[in-house]
Amino acid sequence: VMDGLQACRELRALEAADGRAHLPVIALTAGATSTEKQRAFAAGMNDFLTKPVDPARLVRVATSSTTANSPSPPTRRVASTR
């Protein structure tokens, strides 16, 4: 069993080892302290939201994390097979 911080560290290690695209990861936690936020970013997360989550903010953060204008590298696009 691993927590979200360890899961993100593992994901970032796999991405680095395999040359994979950087997958956006957003922390969603009840821990609203600056220490929790620092730990999330240190683990490789792209953003940090606290509970209860504001739905509009969640949409903004998710959208900004998955667009070309995001500070993180864009994710790979898969061609449609239609």
Side-chain angles (χ1 to χ4, degrees):
V1 176
M2 69 175 76
D3 64 16
L5 297 172
Q6 186 60 38
C8 190
R9 286 185 204 98
E10 296 281 332
L11 175 64
R12 296 302 182 225
L14 287 171
E15 290 169 343
D18 295 343
R20 295 180 186 180
H22 188 82
L23 183 67
V25 178
I26 301 167
L28 180 59
T29 181
T33 67
S34 61
T35 300
E36 285 295 317
K37 189 172 186 176
Q38 290 170 353
R39 290 179 60 207
F41 287 124
M45 295 189 185
N46 298 80
D47 215 321
F48 184 89
L49 296 174
T50 57
K51 297 175 188 175
V53 67
D54 171 20
R57 179 155 166 70
L58 175 60
V59 170
R60 280 193 310 272
V61 168
T63 300
S64 71
S65 293
T66 58
T67 62
N69 294 329
S70 175
S72 62
T75 58
R76 292 185 187 145
R77 304 259 186 230
V78 177
S80 175
T81 57
R82 289 191 232 180

